[in-house]
Amino acid sequence: MDFLGSFGAKPTFQRIATPRSTPDQIIMYGVDNLYPQMIESIFNLSPITKSAVNLMASFIRGDGFENDKIVNDRGETANDILWSISNDQALYNGYALHLNSNGLGSVKTVEHIPFEFVRLGLPDQKGRIRDVRVSNNWESSNEQALPSDKLNAVRYLLFNDADNGREALTSNRGMVLYSTPKKNEYALSSIDPIIETAQSDNELQKFELGNITNGFLSMSIFKYPSAGDSEEQEEEIRRRLNDFKGASHANSVLVVGVDEDSENTQNLIEQVPANNNDSLFINTTLNVKNRILQNFALPSGLMGMLPDGAVFTATQLADEYTYMNLRTKDTRNHIERQMEKLGLDLGKIIPNQFESSQMADNGTITG
């Protein structure tokens, strides 16, 4: 019996559609070719997601390569490149490098390419992808991209240690290493399962701001009998109430005239309470935080999210450092193997080491 089919569990959409764009000679990264750009915008708007991704990146790069050295003409070292790699890997589950080699096939320079700039080229008749296109302006289709509405994508061959020497002697344009979990396929972002949750984090900030700037904060209305058209007076009261929104008008007193025949004249002072959404807001915020932490399997201590009244202890932090180093070990090993394949003698990536110099004698954090 097909229980899943009975409950309609079939996915209704693909997060990453990969249609082909013949004019640009690329496989599109999402239906609008802007999946990485969308991921970046959500990442930048959600403070909790940003902290989580940055924590992952910090433990991926650790304390850097054992053998740090200058790797390009811009004076960048291997650890400078590792910093960029770790940030892209933590967010996009991939990274891209531009490599220049000599005629003997030895890699001489390495430069980082922002992952969101790269698109895979079209496969050949055997289904093999041999090149990529790189552009900092894939958004050009919206006709509002700056500084130019021209795509100007540059073609590079994918790195192949059997062909990089030949490429250096011919085009000398360099090759691109495109690293994703599955070779020559687009990766799902690390925040893909929580895109809606990360957006909720941003919307909660807007709700909080809106509650302060647009909500009524406790105030009083003093009423006095007054002749006149009641409908006009009601409209005037509504208008004046709108002017009294926001934190700066808390505990204000609004004086209004009401119809002499109105029953409301018996209660000359009326209290306007503040909206109380605290319980709903707090519970929703907690659920969002927990879901983001669960997505990355992060310890709450390193995210600074201990329960009220709790303190950081040296033992707890040391354990969490050990856990995070294990959590990111496979990614570090992968980067090390890639650098070794490029012939770069950089050694291992040194894991983050917990230092207890900031701890007091009783093992708690000091200022």
Side-chain angles (χ1 to χ4, degrees):
M1 183 178 294
D2 185 4
F3 289 101
L4 292 178
S6 301
F7 286 96
K10 183 179 179 181
T12 57
F13 68 96
Q14 274 186 292
R15 191 75 89 176
I16 300 181
T18 54
R20 298 186 181 190
S21 173
T22 303
D24 295 326
Q25 291 292 294
I26 61 167
I27 298 173
M28 296 174 67
Y29 206 158
V31 68
D32 58 358
N33 196 35
L34 296 177
Y35 175 83
Q37 281 75 9
M38 178 268 292
I39 290 295
E40 183 182 25
S41 65
I42 294 174
F43 163 75
N44 286 325
L45 288 174
S46 170
I48 304 175
T49 303
K50 197 165 188 176
S51 295
V53 171
N54 289 341
L55 181 63
M56 289 293 296
S58 174
F59 277 87
I60 288 172
R61 61 178 170 264
D63 288 332
F65 287 110
E66 292 175 320
N67 305 323
D68 192 22
K69 60 183 180 182
I70 295 176
V71 293
N72 60 45
D73 297 336
R74 298 164 59 183
E76 293 179 310
T77 69
N79 284 338
D80 294 328
I81 301 299
L82 179 59
W83 180 282
S84 300
I85 286 176
S86 64
N87 290 331
D88 281 356
Q89 181 68 46
L91 178 60
Y92 300 112
N93 272 331
Y95 60 89
L97 300 174
H98 178 261
L99 311 170
N100 274 314
S101 305
N102 60 21
L104 298 176
S106 298
V107 174
K108 292 302 180 184
T109 65
V110 181
E111 292 186 70
H112 170 256
I113 302 175
F115 188 79
E116 66 271 22
F117 289 1
V118 185
R119 298 295 183 272
L120 293 169
L122 296 178
D124 60 20
Q125 292 182 343
K126 294 184 178 180
R128 294 173 298 190
I129 296 175
R130 297 182 178 277
D131 61 10
V132 295
R133 300 295 194 281
V134 177
S135 172
N136 63 356
N137 196 27
W138 293 111
E139 301 93 330
S140 62
S141 59
N142 64 19
E143 298 181 356
Q144 296 178 357
L146 295 175
S148 169
D149 63 354
K150 294 182 179 179
L151 189 59
N152 294 326
V154 179
R155 176 180 179 268
Y156 294 97
L157 292 174
L158 282 167
F159 179 77
N160 184 331
D161 57 6
D163 299 328
N164 63 328
R166 185 184 308 111
E167 188 279 332
L169 294 174
T170 52
S171 71
N172 196 29
R173 179 176 288 179
M175 306 178 86
V176 168
L177 172 68
Y178 189 71
S179 176
T180 54
K182 195 168 183 179
K183 186 176 180 180
N184 297 342
E185 288 191 13
Y186 291 132
L188 281 170
S189 166
S190 62
I191 71 170
D192 190 89
I194 54 165
I195 284 178
E196 291 80 9
T197 304
Q199 288 175 303
S200 297
D201 184 29
N202 178 245
E203 292 298 321
L204 283 168
Q205 297 177 78
K206 295 178 183 177
F207 174 84
E208 187 175 39
L209 178 62
N211 199 40
I212 294 173
T213 58
N214 296 324
F216 289 111
L217 295 178
S218 186
M219 60 178 293
S220 301
I221 299 178
F222 179 80
K223 304 174 184 177
Y224 66 93
S226 173
D229 189 294
S230 60
E231 291 185 2
E232 291 181 359
Q233 287 181 348
E234 289 177 4
E235 181 61 33
E236 176 64 14
I237 291 172
R238 279 193 292 268
R239 185 191 65 78
R240 294 180 66 186
L241 281 173
N242 283 331
D243 292 339
F244 272 74
K245 289 178 179 179
S248 61
H249 297 288
N251 299 315
S252 301
V253 176
L254 178 64
V255 179
V256 299
V258 296
D259 194 340
E260 291 178 334
D261 298 328
S262 173
E263 296 178 357
N264 292 331
T265 56
Q266 297 177 4
N267 299 316
L268 295 180
I269 298 179
E270 180 179 339
Q271 193 75 20
V272 179
N275 291 332
N276 188 0
N277 295 309
D278 289 350
S279 178
L280 176 63
F281 182 81
I282 291 171
N283 289 336
T284 304
T285 301
L286 183 61
N287 289 339
V288 166
K289 287 181 178 179
N290 288 339
R291 197 171 297 121
I292 293 174
L293 262 64
Q294 289 166 1
N295 176 70
F296 289 95
L298 297 177
S300 58
L302 291 181
M303 286 289 289
M305 295 181 181
L306 291 180
D308 292 340
V311 295
F312 294 92
T313 66
T315 301
Q316 173 199 359
L317 290 177
D319 288 345
E320 292 187 354
Y321 264 69
T322 300
Y323 165 77
M324 285 300 298
N325 284 328
L326 291 172
R327 171 86 172 78
T328 54
K329 181 180 178 181
D330 287 346
T331 304
R332 288 196 305 276
N333 289 343
H334 171 74
I335 295 172
E336 291 167 2
R337 287 193 298 269
Q338 292 281 18
M339 297 304 108
E340 187 177 352
K341 288 179 181 178
L342 298 179
L344 302 174
D345 182 22
L346 302 177
K348 298 285 187 180
I349 299 174
I350 304 170
N352 276 332
Q353 302 298 314
F354 173 67
E355 299 178 5
S356 60
S357 59
Q358 293 295 312
M359 307 297 289
D361 293 338
N362 62 358
T364 59
I365 285 288
T366 61

